[in-house]
Amino acid sequence: MSIARFWRETPRRYNLGGSKCMACGSVYFPPRSVCPVCTSHRQSIEKMVPFQLSGEGEVISYTVVHEAAEGFDMQVPYALALVRTPEGPVLTGQIVDMEPEAVRIGLKVRATFRKLREEGASGVIHYGYKFTPVDEPEGPPPGRGPVGAIPATSPSSPERTPA
Ligand SMILES: [Zn+2]
């Protein structure tokens, strides 16, 4: 592929452009031309429209990779995560801009576009999406109460039956 063609196609690579089934509302990334959810697949053929993912997501699973595939040598260890987007699709991507050990389930992330790898001798550089942690607002993440502020489960002045 020529350099010119690479850059012409770049916007598409950089967009998390999926497709949405207007029949049932399912969103797909990468885009699909037929909806596998709809009971009548043919019905969905004309109903698939381009749909832009926001790039927001939440880590639902991850692994820390210590042995890199060819071309990724300089990046180990790194965290590879499954990220569920609010739109529905689950994306696989590397978590960057934080220690791999600090990645956790429930981490809010956002897609960013980075160099994925270089092809050794040719020097061709591939770009794609990775995920960076989203700065969370003040306070603990949702679903986790602040430590030490757990409400007492027993009444402060328990009723006692007089002996
Ligand atoms: Zn559908």
Side-chain angles (χ1 to χ4, degrees), residues 1 6 13-14 72 75 113-120 122-130:
M1 184 189 303
F6 177 86
R13 297 164 184 272
Y14 277 31
F72 289 86
Q75 300 173 10
F113 291 91
R114 299 289 176 89
K115 185 172 81 173
L116 287 184
R117 63 193 169 94
E118 281 179 53
E119 282 178 11
S122 67
V124 173
I125 300 172
H126 295 265
Y127 289 84
Y129 63 84
K130 297 184 179 183

Side-chain angles (χ1 to χ4, degrees), residues 21-26 28 35-39 44 48:
C21 172
M22 296 309 285
C24 72
S26 298
Y28 300 98
C35 178
V37 172
C38 282
T39 45
S44 70
M48 305 302 285

Side-chain angles (χ1 to χ4, degrees), residues 11-140:
R12 209 174 343 138
R13 297 164 184 272
Y14 277 31
N15 287 330
L16 288 171
S19 62
K20 181 174 185 175
C21 172
M22 296 309 285
C24 72
S26 298
V27 174
Y28 300 98
F29 180 85
R32 305 185 68 136
S33 53
V34 175
C35 178
V37 172
C38 282
T39 45
S40 174
H41 295 184
R42 286 189 174 190
Q43 244 175 15
S44 70
I45 291 176
E46 300 291 319
K47 305 254 174 64
M48 305 302 285
V49 298
F51 184 85
Q52 182 67 47
L53 298 185
S54 64
E56 306 287 322
E58 181 177 326
V59 173
I60 57 170
S61 180
Y62 68 94
T63 182
V64 177
V65 178
H66 291 277
E67 297 212 12
E70 192 179 345
F72 289 86
D73 302 349
M74 292 177 298
Q75 300 173 10
V76 290
Y78 63 90
L80 191 64
L82 292 181
V83 174
R84 186 185 301 285
T85 63
E87 296 86 3
V90 174
L91 310 179
T92 305
Q94 185 181 346
I95 307 291
V96 294
D97 296 343
M98 70 185 296
E99 293 298 320
E101 295 78 18
V103 174
R104 66 183 194 281
I105 304 292
L107 178 74
K108 297 283 192 295
V109 293
R110 179 178 295 131
T112 180
F113 291 91
R114 299 289 176 89
K115 185 172 81 173
L116 287 184
R117 63 193 169 94
E118 281 179 53
E119 282 178 11
S122 67
V124 173
I125 300 172
H126 295 265
Y127 289 84
Y129 63 84
K130 297 184 179 183
F131 294 96
T132 56
V134 175
D135 289 331
E136 290 174 0
E138 298 288 317

